[in-house]
Amino acid sequence: MPSLRALHRAGHSIALVITRPDRPGHRQKITAPPVKVDALALGLEVLQPEKIREPSVVERVRALAPDVVVVVAYGQIIPPSLLAIPRLGVVNVHASLLPRHRGASPVAHAILAGDEETGVTIMRMDEQLDHGPVLASRSTSIGEHEDAASLTTRLAELGAELLVETLERLDGVVAVAQDDSAATVAPRLSKEKGELEWESGAHQIDRTVRALQPWPGATLPTKRGRVKVLSGHVEGDRYVPDIVQVPGKKPAPAKQVLGDA
């Protein structure tokens, strides 16, 4: 978790780390969230409530009397009762240049939209989804062949760096309201989003394959049935799969798997 590690390196006093409960992972083995693993390695206290709005959680945070609460990719709406606690507010690291791509899947939607650049925004949270005033932002180009997994990794590091810089001057930052008229929405992804047809066009297929890595993934119909396309490229007006995965099999070169299929 780059933001947690960056805050710790910068010398901030981290009173509590809140993350989701452990869940079944690969082969149904119970797996801890990455932020919990990092927090425990740093000797930090961890709380894993099912819901952040649980009264016991709010009271726990209130008792700590934090100056600021930092939220990164938490996945739940922060209730007003918690937003009101920290003296300097609740600060969120969001993986887009707000107000573009408000919502749960900003990285994927930036690629799906064909955006040439994206970035990270540090915002002060309010009761609406990704709506609060902007404290800082930083942009970066999206690589021609970059997928959501690699872009997410880059943005996480960029966001951690900008978060630390912003917190160092938080008392003096002038928050700027977002332009709601320019807002776009980036809703959660679904498996259906990845069920592609060749008629979608080469560039749309390419963007979708890259945007839906690693989940939910994109599939295309072949003589071997629908196969998951992990990577590919555009040649003229054609989309050419490079690495594919047949259900129940390991990823392999498309030419090897599909042949003339």
Side-chain angles (χ1 to χ4, degrees):
M1 183 66 181
S3 288
L4 178 63
R5 294 195 298 268
L7 290 172
H8 189 266
R9 282 196 306 271
H12 288 280
S13 176
I14 304 170
L16 181 66
V17 175
I18 301 176
T19 186
R20 61 178 174 80
D22 297 357
R23 303 285 193 206
H26 184 60
R27 300 185 185 277
Q28 295 302 300
K29 181 180 178 181
I30 299 299
T31 304
V35 68
K36 176 184 178 180
V37 175
D38 282 356
L40 293 179
L42 295 172
L44 302 174
E45 188 173 356
V46 178
L47 185 65
Q48 295 177 272
E50 199 66 48
K51 298 291 183 182
I52 189 67
R53 62 178 58 250
E54 292 174 13
S56 61
V57 177
V58 176
E59 288 307 312
R60 178 74 178 280
V61 174
R62 183 175 286 117
L64 292 171
D67 288 325
V68 64
V69 168
V70 174
V71 177
V72 184
Y74 186 65
Q76 292 184 29
I77 298 295
I78 307 301
S81 55
L82 202 152
L83 290 173
I85 293 172
R87 177 177 65 87
L88 296 172
V90 177
V91 172
N92 176 235
V93 183
H94 185 77
S96 81
L97 297 174
L98 291 171
R100 188 161 178 77
H101 303 311
R102 293 175 176 174
S105 305
V107 178
H109 282 277
I111 296 174
L112 283 171
D115 293 355
E116 293 184 358
E117 74 168 14
T118 186
V120 292
T121 300
I122 310 298
M123 56 167 284
R124 182 171 283 123
M125 299 184 78
D126 62 16
E127 296 178 33
Q128 299 183 56
L129 179 64
D130 297 331
H131 172 273
V134 172
L135 300 170
S137 63
R138 186 163 294 164
S139 63
T140 183
S141 297
I142 299 176
E144 183 180 356
H145 303 293
E146 194 165 25
D147 65 20
S150 60
L151 181 55
T152 296
T153 298
R154 282 207 302 119
L155 291 176
E157 295 291 346
L158 191 65
E161 178 183 290
L162 187 59
L163 171 64
V164 170
E165 292 178 12
T166 304
L167 290 182
E168 287 176 352
R169 54 188 181 87
L170 190 55
D171 278 311
V173 172
V174 177
V176 178
Q178 295 185 40
D179 179 2
D180 291 342
S181 68
T184 63
V185 180
R188 292 186 186 280
L189 300 172
S190 66
K191 289 186 177 181
E192 291 73 23
K193 187 77 173 177
E195 294 175 357
L196 302 176
E197 302 298 333
W198 291 104
E199 293 76 17
S200 301
H203 291 285
Q204 183 61 44
I205 293 173
D206 177 61
R207 288 195 295 267
T208 304
V209 168
R210 291 187 293 115
L212 271 56
Q213 292 295 331
W215 191 91
T219 64
L220 280 165
T222 72
K223 292 180 180 178
R224 294 197 61 175
R226 277 201 168 268
V227 299
K228 182 177 287 188
V229 182
L230 303 183
S231 66
H233 65 279
V234 176
E235 284 186 6
D237 60 355
R238 296 174 57 244
Y239 180 76
V240 181
D242 292 326
I243 304 295
V244 300
Q245 185 174 17
V246 176
K249 303 290 185 179
K250 293 182 178 180
K255 290 182 180 179
Q256 173 185 319
V257 174
L258 301 178
D260 296 327

